[in-house]
Amino acid sequence: MTQAPAVPALTFSDDQADAWDRVAADLMAHGIDLVDGGTEAAEEGRTPSVLAVVGKAGSGKTMLLASLTKSLLAAGVELVSGDYEGRRKKDRRTLAVLAPTNKAASVLRMRGVPATTIHRILYTPVYDPQYERIAEWLTGQGDRPEVEGLTELALDRAHAFYQTVASIPGALAAAGLKGSDFIKGWKRREEPLDVGFVDESSMLDERQFEDLKEIFPTLVLFGDPAQLAPVGLSGEMAFDRLPEGRKLILSRIHRQTQDNPILDLAHALADDRLDFQSFERMVEEAARRDERVIWAERVDADMMARSPVLVWRNATRIRLITAFRSAHGAPDDQLIPGEPLICDGIELPLKHRKKRIDLEARGLIKGAQVIYLGPGSKDGFAKLHVVGAEEPQVSAASIIKIEKPDEDEPFIPAAAKMGAAFLHGSAVTIHKAQGSQWENVQVFAPDLYAAAQAGRTEAGVPLWKRLAYVAITRAEKRLFWVVRNRLARPQHVLGVADLRGIAPAALSLSVEE
């Protein structure tokens, strides 16, 4: 058995402590000791185990996930990320921390949890052999290599970067390499891993859940039961189908969140007696006493460039996008750098499976938030910044669609024969916003009023309440409750200066060659 020092215990609420103990017991049954530290080789063909830790915003799910992750690493479990995976060892134990979207993964990374996306674990990179020797050296699996074209100083820069940020692509970029130099492609993962933690698991669809169960014999889902279920699951979430006793509930709202007016509003929605008009009065009152809630008479066009307006209806989304582009002086026949986009999927025939994997592994997955940087070097290509991706800048074959009010066919400023498809991202539906967070969030209240008037329900809960809960909890610092169908003129020119220096190196990829 590999020994490691135990991690000092954190102060948990009773329900957090119970959940920690339950997860630890499951891991102990599979050869990982979180209490005393240490691991044993995994048993072949062991029975799959799925647990869920569920609770509303502020109940401490992320704190618990972070604590369990820290304890697993201290016990000697090896972290598996989406950028590089070393040689398999017979007795090694592994952990992957996953989220359904780039933005959700980046939110975890900003909180100190080493997360990646589900797609980056489903697919593994294929490294050029000479550069894989550098990755093996950096991860302690090989000697310092001599690589043609790289100086000793370049290797020193790669090593120094890796000591600060444990990212192989980042380290190789620090040595002066581009992603296309060292990653030659991607392949579907063929061998299972070990332990998987999945945040924002309310977003999992049935296929993703089945894929994860195939890869991870031990799977722990972290999710919020008050959010919106994936389309097509009739209000059900992946963890709703677990057997009795496999769902651990966090019910206490922690002290550090109790003085948060945004979360107060979100939790108030649980009151069955609350109607929409009464809730709006609560929002107005919160805005009077706390600057973190703003009663807004109009939409802020500047904010839309990086934080979309959250709406319910597609017609509202399209009207706001049109108004945003007009306010920023964007021409009808082309995009301007800085315009936000949302990936709407990959438009490729089945025979191009490898090219689809390339795009998805780079972060261009359905729902990904992207900033347009400019046209690519080939017709139909676009330079893009993928928000939240670990290597965010890519050049990809793109099909960009700009919808317009009362027009059936969208305007297409950039169109490859095949590739990643995009819609404008200055306004998005609340469903698509799920899993993301922004410092400042604008919620378009007239749409929620329309949902309330429609009288629709989801899983027995009024739809407007589920929509409001998800929209409100996207705000990290300030919530703007927009009550009028108006747009304020922008005060700043749209651009990409705020994105400079974020990426260690630009990645270039082609899906038409």
Side-chain angles (χ1 to χ4, degrees), residues 82 97-103 105-106 109 115-122 360-361 363 365 388-390:
V97 183
L98 311 174
T101 66
N102 301 299
K103 193 68 167 64
S106 72
R109 290 196 299 272
T116 190
T117 63
I118 292 170
H119 280 81
R120 288 293 291 267
I121 288 296
L122 291 178
E360 291 181 338
I365 56 181
E390 293 169 87

Side-chain angles (χ1 to χ4, degrees), residues 314-332:
N314 262 320
T316 306
R317 179 179 63 85
I318 294 169
R319 285 200 308 272
L320 285 169
I321 288 168
T322 302
F324 169 85
R325 301 195 78 242
S326 175
H328 278 287
D332 286 342

